[in-house]
Amino acid sequence: MSRAAGSGPPRGGPAPCETEQTRPFLGEAAWQKRLRHVTFPDVREIDHEFLSLPLRVLADAALQRARDLGADHADFRLERVRGQRLVLADGSVESSGETDTLGFAVRVVHNGTWGFAAGTELTTDAAASVAARAVDVAKVASVLSSDHIELAPEPAHHDAVWVSSYEVDPFDVPVRDKTELLADWSRRLLADPRVNHVDASLLQAKEQKFYADTAGTVTTQQRVRLAPVVEAVSTSDGRLESMRTISPPVGRGYEYLPTVEAELAELPELLAAKAAAPSVEPGEYDLVIDPSNLWLTIHESIGHATELDRALGYEAAYAGTSFATPDGLGSLRYGSPIMNVTGDRTVEHGLSTIGYDDEGVATSSFELVTDGVLTGYQRDRRISRLTGHERSNGCAFADSPATMPIQRMANVSLAPDPRGPSTEELIRRVDDGIYVVGDRSWSIDMQRYNFQFTGQRFYRIRGGRVTGQLRDVAYQATTTDFWNSMTALGGPQTYVLGGAFNCGKGQPGQVAPVSHGCPSALFEKVRVLNTVREAGA
Amino acid sequence: MSGVHSPESKRSTVSQSLSAQAVTERVLELSRADDCMVLVTENSTANLRWAGNSLTTNGVTRGREVTVVSLVEGPEGTSVGTVSRSGLRDDQLEDLVRSAEAAAREAPPAEGAHPLLGPGTGAAQGVGGDWDAPPAATDIGVFSTFAPDLGTAFERSAKAGVKLYGYAEHSLNSTFFGSSTGVRLRHDQPTGTVDLNAKSADPGHSTWVGRATRDFADIDVEALEAELGRRIAWARTSVELPAGRYETLLPPEAVADLMIDLYWGMGARDAFEGRTALSAKRAGTRVGERLSPLPLRLRSNPAEPGLECAPFVLADSPGRRISAFDNGLPIRESEWISDGELSRLVQTHDSAVLTALPVTPDTDNLVLELPGATASLDDMVAGTERGLLVTCLWYIRVVDPRSMLLTGLTRDGVYLVEDGEVKGAVNNFRFNESPVGLLERVSEVGRTVPALSREMGDYFTRTAMPPMRVPDFNMSTVSRAS
């Protein structure tokens, strides 16, 4: 994951120790009133503005030029990517901006070598010239390439259209409405004397992708996503503490905002309780980890470790490799037998969810860890072919029209126990432990062995009951030790789809959104550090 | 790659015929807002990536991004609308300007608004370069010497049982800035980096070198390869060590990893609000306090030889660390730490008023030095009785902002030094350390040299750092990664 500003972690189940009823600031009727100017089409369609671009004409010009120049394969991808960022500090707009990127790329395989070029001028001449540049780059590169690039064949999808599941396109909502909402939230929190500062932000993105290749696939797709985050900060007595909402970023529209609003009322009390909490005694503890924290541990220790390009060394100089090498497929004991993990790009509202990937492959769901054993990898077409797979499992993604698709993460999710308990029941099973909620700091080594995470809030568990918050907690483990220490999974009622906007990989660096679903889960005897003592204080 | 020509991309005359300079003027003409700023960036990049002694991916890109910042005065203050677009046709410029104006009218007043700078009211003098010259572009030809040298290195490495992995990237950004207050400024920024990672089978080892460059003319592949070979030879002996506090030699690259985090934690407003390790205990900032017993100097200077960067503020929106309200403000040398004392923080005009400190804006380079220091890293190894020598750090994240506690890992080579010599390769560690704490405890600092951060090298490339000796670096746990 990149170091870009923290994205909102997922919403966990209500903390069992909170007595105060969580309630939204606005009722349903008020929300409907707010959205009264926005139309709700019955079926989402791709915006006419995008469809009216000369998509096919440019694709034909580029692909024909690539064929004429001897390319074995060529694909043309034209994208419009819109982003909007609103950042408020203490209720005032600190920063805001919109980005709108329109451009296209041509990728070729020419005599077994990749060539890639990108441009922005939407004319047939420019499209053909970018295709020629891609072939030129392949020729230059061939001198230094000993790998022979081949792609796993895929069925052609003619004129496929896909649109993600959302009600209100966030780009249809006036900026003033959004900033007023965030300012209103901020002022309500600032009205509490225990809150010194409030940071509020809303990131929104909309992707429109047109793809065509020399095998005849043509796809047109559109999806939106947003990440609302509110953080309350206390600096009283020269001590910094903060508490952030844990509603995750999602592949939904503006209709998602009330979910975040529902968390606000309890933030000041949660913050005050954290500021007054005792500092943790380092040692080994049983941990009940809420989905709002566990998603990120899954992301780092399973998501990245099961990327096949990584495991084969193609990211070795940058993001790193993986301890989960292909020789362990079918035998590596990743975790305890209750551990089942899938990669998936089809789940509704998932951030990695899409109909067809950036190589024209229909997306799917596939196993990564089955009954605790490594059983699969995330792949793109090239790596699939290289490793003897007949098909790709659809994990290619490029973050802009100017970047080359690489294997990026599917929504990698841990299955709940179908008859599993509630989070409260998991806590009741713990005599001496900590309940971890919300994500904060994260770090893992370049083979995905050794990790360290902190969180938003940590609750001391004694005799099966939560007794109050702790401060200064970090947990640290080796991936396989950690997942093998998992002794119980929560049921489907604890399951939450968390995620991030900002997973980084590749050179040149690319950023991808991805979701991770998981239940609450119980881990035995995990090493817990005191972060103040680690700093030598 | 000799004989390779760089394909000329002839700009089509259909959709983007206006030059960047003409776009700048056109946007300002179109503006109906009370004030307007425009930034036009012409960008070109070329990259090569390799793994296992073979090129894997590559690419060339060109693009133009136009950012319009519209300012609308209202009874409660100035509202700002910022819209950036790339892939824009000339006939869409008006739509872009109107979008920014609509965004400004929709926005509540912005924090920290103040009148825009003008040629006579604080903006940088001159235009920062030949305004009218067409922007230069890079292409795959920038690697015309580097690529064949790399090919030779692939062959040599294959024979030696070593696999090379890595990445080379070059970019040229020409940014044209114009404001309705009459400011015209241009900045051309070349940026280049190379990462070279070697993995040997016997002994099993992985090590890394990296360099920043403006044009690849100064990249000596053979010398980089030789340094990798020297470290692989060190790994013929391997030593397992437990977690703990060790005397540790940090090379300039690892010091860059940590000092960039310190620099990013130097925001004045954050410090003033009590949010960072540079906040005073009760109120205000720690400016004036001693951070290190050594007379260290941490500074930025746009004119630093080899590390040249923009000598004026160019921001696309208002913000906490850098703000579009300050666009055009000259950036001169700033000493963040002088003689071991915290002397300046990264400021906007607004935060400078808040903290009553000089306006020292965010600058795109960073130098740490101890005046008079002459020791090289090898000299410091020779002067070590027992300690660890680190290559670089990785996956560094802030754990606790108030102490600036960072966690991260050692990567691609940790070595045991005994009696002035490297004795073997050691396992990797997770560390928990604060750069502020390190400056307090550092016992020796060597001569400053250009150094590319491994962790931040794709965002912040222009750094010069010294090697450092820390008597008790906190290796918190062993990492099995190798």
Side-chain angles (χ1 to χ4, degrees):
Chain A
M1 226 161 110
S2 79
R3 74 166 31 246
S7 51
R11 178 167 177 68
C17 51
E18 304 313 326
T19 51
E20 194 179 358
Q21 187 66 36
T22 300
R23 44 176 200 281
F25 288 137
L26 274 179
E28 188 65 22
W31 268 96
Q32 291 305 328
K33 197 174 158 195
R34 270 193 192 178
L35 297 173
R36 67 188 182 279
H37 299 303
V38 180
T39 53
F40 293 78
D42 293 336
V43 180
R44 273 279 156 204
E45 289 177 352
I46 293 173
D47 298 354
H48 176 73
E49 193 180 352
F50 184 70
L51 294 176
S52 66
L53 295 169
L55 304 170
R56 281 158 202 275
V57 179
L58 298 183
D60 288 347
L63 297 179
Q64 189 57 50
R65 177 66 63 87
R67 272 192 213 99
D68 292 348
L69 293 170
D72 310 311
H73 163 94
D75 54 62
F76 171 89
R77 184 167 45 84
L78 187 151
E79 295 191 6
R80 181 182 183 194
V81 184
R82 295 179 69 186
Q84 189 183 74
R85 174 181 51 93
L86 300 170
V87 181
L88 276 75
D90 295 339
S92 295
V93 178
E94 181 177 271
S95 186
S96 68
E98 282 184 52
T99 57
D100 192 340
T101 301
L102 178 63
F104 65 90
V106 179
R107 184 181 69 158
V108 300
V109 180
H110 185 271
N111 289 336
T113 306
W114 284 126
F116 179 85
T120 59
E121 293 170 47
L122 305 191
T123 64
T124 51
D125 284 354
S129 136
V130 166
R133 259 203 293 154
V135 172
D136 274 332
V137 170
K139 287 179 182 168
V140 169
S142 68
V143 181
L144 293 173
S145 304
S146 52
D147 286 1
H148 190 81
I149 303 296
E150 291 180 47
L151 305 182
E154 288 288 332
H157 305 284
H158 306 287
D159 297 326
V161 174
W162 182 90
V163 182
S164 70
S165 175
Y166 60 93
E167 288 175 21
V168 183
D169 182 342
F171 292 87
D172 286 346
V173 179
V175 174
R176 179 175 283 274
D177 289 10
K178 300 177 204 175
T179 49
E180 279 181 359
L181 181 69
L182 296 180
D184 175 52
W185 291 359
S186 303
R187 283 192 296 268
R188 284 162 186 262
L189 289 168
L190 284 168
D192 191 302
R194 298 169 294 183
V195 176
N196 299 102
H197 296 287
V198 176
D199 296 324
S201 63
L202 177 62
L203 305 181
Q204 305 137 84
K206 181 175 185 177
E207 284 174 11
Q208 292 162 319
K209 286 175 183 273
F210 172 84
Y211 171 93
D213 66 27
T214 43
T217 288
V218 178
T219 64
T220 314
Q221 306 185 84
Q222 174 169 304
R223 59 180 188 171
V224 303
R225 58 179 174 268
L226 44 79
V229 181
V230 181
E231 185 167 31
V233 179
S234 162
T235 55
S236 302
D237 305 323
R239 208 162 75 182
L240 177 72
E241 288 296 348
S242 64
M243 187 62 67
R244 198 179 68 196
T245 51
I246 58 173
S247 302
V250 287
R252 291 178 187 265
Y254 198 66
E255 70 279 1
Y256 178 62
L257 272 290
T259 307
V260 185
E261 187 161 21
E263 281 192 68
L264 300 179
E266 64 178 5
L267 279 188
E269 176 55 34
L270 289 170
L271 175 64
K274 184 182 188 181
S279 195
V280 70
E281 192 57 37
E284 286 190 342
Y285 290 85
D286 292 349
L287 301 183
V288 174
I289 305 184
D290 192 83
S292 57
N293 181 272
L294 192 57
W295 74 268
L296 184 50
T297 308
I298 292 169
H299 177 88
E300 299 293 4
S301 70
I302 308 171
H304 281 303
T306 56
E307 296 174 315
L308 190 48
D309 60 338
R310 253 189 105 103
L312 293 172
Y314 287 93
E315 288 285 326
Y318 182 63
T321 58
S322 174
F323 75 92
T325 46
D327 55 318
L329 204 58
S331 61
L332 173 70
R333 167 67 47 198
Y334 215 109
S336 62
I338 61 173
M339 179 187 190
N340 286 285
V341 179
T342 53
D344 171 280
R345 299 197 69 189
T346 64
V347 63
E348 190 178 24
H349 307 307
L351 292 166
S352 177
T353 298
I354 197 158
Y356 303 85
D357 78 354
D358 284 343
E359 296 183 316
V361 179
T363 56
S364 65
S365 195
F366 47 90
E367 293 185 358
L368 295 172
V369 177
T370 310
D371 300 331
V373 175
L374 176 71
T375 49
Y377 285 101
Q378 306 161 69
R379 309 188 310 264
D380 59 16
R381 289 178 67 175
R382 190 268 159 137
I383 293 292
S384 294
R385 178 71 176 192
L386 186 71
T387 52
H389 291 87
E390 286 185 6
R391 298 270 307 275
S392 165
N393 56 20
C395 293
F397 174 74
D399 70 352
S400 92
T403 47
M404 183 155 161
I406 53 176
Q407 187 274 306
R408 294 313 311 264
M409 208 180 289
N411 304 304
V412 170
S413 297
L414 173 69
D417 177 346
R419 291 176 297 281
S422 65
T423 305
E424 291 81 348
E425 173 55 30
L426 287 175
I427 288 171
R428 270 197 288 278
R429 295 180 188 181
V430 174
D431 184 50
D432 182 20
I434 298 172
Y435 171 47
V436 183
V437 180
D439 73 278
R440 187 183 289 264
S441 167
W442 71 97
S443 173
I444 189 163
D445 71 39
M446 65 283 184
Q447 282 180 339
R448 304 279 143 176
Y449 272 124
N450 177 304
F451 58 67
Q452 179 177 308
F453 293 95
T454 64
Q456 288 299 316
R457 37 195 193 262
F458 299 90
Y459 296 98
R460 188 78 170 95
I461 307 171
R462 282 186 194 278
R465 289 181 51 247
V466 159
T467 59
Q469 287 195 55
L470 290 170
R471 280 193 299 120
D472 312 324
V473 182
Y475 69 93
Q476 198 181 64
T478 292
T479 295
T480 44
D481 295 345
F482 178 79
W483 290 107
N484 276 289
S485 80
M486 183 168 70
T487 56
L489 287 161
Q493 70 276 27
T494 72
Y495 189 87
V496 177
L497 193 65
F501 259 38
N502 58 347
C503 172
K505 184 180 174 183
Q507 288 178 311
Q510 297 195 40
V511 176
V514 61
S515 291
H516 300 284
C518 59
S520 293
L522 171 59
F523 300 83
E524 292 189 344
K525 293 195 182 340
V526 180
R527 183 183 183 199
V528 165
L529 306 179
N530 180 301
T531 57
V532 173
R533 289 196 208 173
E534 286 294 308
Chain B
M1 203 182 293
S2 53
V4 168
H5 70 286
S6 357
E8 282 303 308
S9 111
K10 290 199 170 55
R11 288 205 175 271
S12 154
T13 54
V14 180
S15 69
Q16 291 177 349
S17 61
L18 289 179
S19 67
Q21 296 91 330
V23 167
T24 307
E25 300 304 335
R26 181 81 186 119
V27 164
L28 294 170
E29 285 161 20
L30 287 166
S31 172
R32 294 178 196 150
D34 293 309
D35 268 307
C36 180
M37 292 184 275
V38 55
L39 295 113
V40 183
T41 300
E42 297 273 341
N43 168 270
S44 56
T45 68
N47 67 72
L48 299 175
R49 197 178 195 200
W50 55 95
N53 297 332
S54 174
L55 215 60
T56 52
T57 60
N58 54 66
V60 290
T61 68
R62 289 194 188 180
R64 171 189 290 175
E65 183 174 67
V66 183
T67 300
V68 177
V69 185
S70 291
L71 297 92
V72 175
E73 302 299 332
E76 293 161 39
T78 307
S79 295
V80 182
T82 291
V83 180
S84 296
R85 283 196 191 156
S86 38
L88 196 68
R89 299 194 309 266
D90 294 343
D91 62 6
Q92 292 173 318
L93 276 179
E94 175 151 15
D95 180 56
L96 169 63
V97 174
R98 299 298 162 245
S99 297
E101 288 167 356
R105 278 192 301 273
E106 279 188 15
E111 181 81 17
H114 60 83
L116 300 187
L117 304 177
T121 56
Q125 299 296 310
V127 295
D130 181 357
W131 176 266
D132 294 321
T138 191
D139 58 43
I140 205 79
V142 74
F143 303 124
S144 60
T145 304
F146 172 78
D149 289 352
L150 187 65
T152 309
F154 287 168
E155 286 168 22
R156 266 194 309 259
S157 295
K159 282 180 194 145
V162 170
K163 288 183 173 176
L164 294 178
Y165 299 78
Y167 179 67
E169 179 176 278
H170 189 247
S171 69
L172 280 176
N173 276 345
S174 293
T175 302
F176 298 83
F177 172 76
S179 76
S180 55
T181 48
V183 179
R184 298 291 184 277
L185 292 169
R186 170 182 182 164
H187 178 65
D188 294 297
Q189 184 69 59
T191 302
T193 58
V194 58
D195 277 300
L196 196 55
N197 169 219
K199 293 186 190 300
S200 56
D202 182 24
H205 192 56
S206 179
T207 187
W208 170 89
V209 290
R211 293 285 185 273
T213 177
R214 288 169 68 85
D215 54 14
F216 277 81
D218 54 349
I219 297 299
D220 182 344
V221 175
E222 204 171 341
L224 296 177
E225 207 188 343
E227 178 59 26
L228 293 169
R230 181 165 86 125
R231 296 185 201 167
I232 288 170
W234 286 344
R236 293 200 189 284
T237 304
S238 66
V239 184
E240 297 223 344
L241 289 176
R245 288 188 177 268
Y246 287 91
E247 178 170 317
T248 299
L249 296 174
L250 297 171
E253 290 78 8
V255 173
D257 290 331
L258 296 164
M259 289 304 118
I260 293 171
D261 256 307
L262 174 64
Y263 182 50
W264 282 1
M266 284 189 149
R269 184 166 169 168
D270 285 339
F272 187 80
E273 289 182 349
R275 296 174 182 235
T276 75
L278 304 178
S279 305
K281 273 269 181 291
R282 286 295 154 202
T285 74
R286 292 180 65 191
V287 167
E289 284 187 32
R290 175 157 295 282
L291 296 185
S292 178
L294 302 180
L296 289 172
R297 185 189 293 155
L298 183 71
R299 60 184 180 82
S300 298
N301 180 3
E304 188 71 16
L307 305 177
E308 294 89 348
C309 63
F312 34 77
V313 175
L314 292 170
D316 59 9
S317 64
R320 175 174 284 255
R321 183 181 172 96
I322 177 166
S323 174
F325 289 117
D326 299 338
N327 275 342
L329 186 71
I331 302 177
R332 303 192 174 88
E333 180 165 26
S334 296
E335 281 197 17
W336 314 108
I337 298 174
S338 303
D339 295 329
E341 284 182 7
L342 182 65
S343 51
R344 293 286 181 268
L345 293 167
V346 177
Q347 302 276 7
T348 62
H349 177 277
D350 189 42
S351 70
V353 171
L354 190 73
T355 55
L357 289 166
V359 194
T360 42
D362 180 76
T363 310
D364 199 13
N365 64 22
L366 191 67
V367 178
L368 178 71
E369 60 201 355
L370 179 68
T374 56
S376 68
L377 183 61
D378 284 351
D379 295 338
M380 287 168 67
V381 167
T384 300
E385 197 174 313
R386 185 170 193 270
L388 299 178
L389 169 63
V390 167
T391 298
C392 60
L393 305 176
W394 184 246
Y395 222 120
I396 305 170
R397 295 293 181 275
V398 176
V399 176
D400 183 354
R402 192 60 204 260
S403 59
M404 213 179 278
L405 178 69
L406 306 175
T407 194
L409 297 123
T410 61
R411 181 170 183 181
D412 290 322
V414 181
Y415 307 96
L416 175 66
V417 179
E418 283 181 328
D419 304 324
E421 285 180 14
V422 176
K423 289 295 167 66
V426 179
N427 45 276
N428 279 303
F429 296 96
R430 168 174 299 288
F431 69 88
N432 279 316
E433 271 292 355
S434 159
V436 179
L438 290 178
L439 293 183
E440 282 169 16
R441 287 154 33 223
V442 60
S443 56
E444 185 184 357
V445 169
R447 176 168 42 89
T448 294
V449 294
L452 178 69
S453 160
R454 179 78 182 278
E455 169 81 359
M456 314 286 190
D458 40 2
Y459 302 97
F460 199 98
T461 61
R462 286 172 273 279
T463 42
M465 295 285 150
M468 248 188 200
R469 184 189 306 276
V470 181
D472 53 355
F473 196 86
N474 180 15
M475 300 296 188
S476 173
T477 182
V478 169
S479 156
R480 287 162 61 191
S482 57

